[in-house]
């Protein structure tokens, strides 16, 4: 049996990125590093928003608190695990980018794709930094990135959240008004 990572080209941009952006809090840097490892392990060419969501849930207790706990969180993690073991195979051939159905970014928007990130993942990280700056923080945290991810209706992470019965509009509203502790699960 051949390893899934053996399919990766030698110059895989995911494997050679860096996660030491000074604009990111330690938890967010750790989540980005974990997303990079997950993407390489899964044989994906880019880190997408579903990789970021999965790693945020693993690495950041504040993000887990925003989404609630118990069986609902287990259901969400279950969908993310399914994605990493085959559910997301249909995504491996494509790039998560602006202009996908429902995307908040216009077709043709210029987004710098650095360090093996999909255009939407790169945009979400930039938006997380802007959100942190607006609230007066020196660094962006996991909730900042979660807010940026759920602002993109075409993001793969939003598709996963929908499958796990998370009311994304309610989640967005709670993050925006600061009531992050209430559960956004509908099922």
């Amino acid at each position: 049996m051949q390893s899934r990572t053996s399919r990766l080209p030698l110059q895989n941009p995911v494997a050679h990125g860096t996660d030491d952006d000074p604009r990111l809090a330690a938890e967010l840097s750790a989540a980005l590093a974990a997303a990079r490892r997950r993407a390489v392990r899964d044989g994906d060419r880019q880190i997408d928003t579903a990789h970021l969501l999965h790693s945020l849930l693993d690495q950041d207790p504040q993000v887990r608190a925003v989404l609630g706990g118990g069986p609902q969180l287990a259901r969400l993690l279950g969908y993310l695990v399914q994605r990493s073991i085959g559910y997301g195979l249909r995504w491996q051939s494509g790039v998560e980018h602006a202009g996908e159905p429902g995307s908040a970014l216009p077709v043709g928007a210029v987004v710098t794709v650095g360090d093996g990130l999909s255009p939407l993942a790169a945009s979400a990280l930039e938006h997380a930094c802007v959100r942190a700056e607006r609230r007066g923080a020196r660094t962006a945290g996991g909730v900042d990135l979660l807010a940026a991810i759920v602002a993109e209706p075409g993001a793969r992470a939003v598709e996963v959240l929908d499958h796990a019965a998370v009311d994304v509009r309610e989640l967005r509203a709670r993050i925006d008004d600061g009531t992050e502790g209430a559960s956004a699960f509908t099922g």
Side-chain angles (χ1 to χ4, degrees), residues 60-127:
D60 194 324
Q62 289 181 330
V63 169
R64 286 191 301 274
V66 167
L67 287 161
Q72 297 88 1
L73 184 58
R75 183 178 356 164
L76 177 55
L77 286 168
Y79 276 107
L80 287 163
V81 168
Q82 287 177 14
R83 183 227 189 244
S84 70
I85 61 173
Y87 169 71
L89 288 177
R90 66 185 169 86
W91 288 337
Q92 284 185 340
S93 63
V95 173
E96 178 185 46
H97 59 82
E100 288 184 355
S103 174
L105 292 175
V107 175
V110 178
V111 177
T112 304
V113 181
D115 296 332
L117 296 165
S118 74
L120 276 180
S123 175
L125 279 168
E126 286 300 318
H127 283 96

Side-chain angles (χ1 to χ4, degrees), residues 150-151 157-158 161-162 166-173 184:
V150 299
V158 171
L161 289 164
D162 285 340
V166 174
D167 184 334
V168 176
R169 279 188 276 188
E170 179 186 322
L171 176 61
R172 253 193 322 260

Side-chain angles (χ1 to χ4, degrees), residues 125-147:
L125 279 168
E126 286 300 318
H127 283 96
C129 292
V130 169
R131 182 180 189 273
E133 187 177 299
R134 282 186 192 144
R135 62 180 177 78
R138 289 186 17 232
T139 58
V143 174
D144 294 314
L145 181 56
L146 180 63

Side-chain angles (χ1 to χ4, degrees), residues 28 31-36 38 47-59 63 80 83 96 117-118 120-125 145-146 149 157:
L28 186 50
L32 181 56
R36 184 174 312 287
R38 180 169 279 112
I47 300 167
D48 65 23
T49 58
H51 293 117
L52 292 173
L53 175 62
H54 197 163
S55 295
L56 284 172
L57 289 170
D58 286 346
Q59 300 288 323
V63 169
L80 287 163
R83 183 227 189 244
E96 178 185 46
L117 296 165
S118 74
L120 276 180
S123 175
L125 279 168
L145 181 56
L146 180 63
I149 288 170

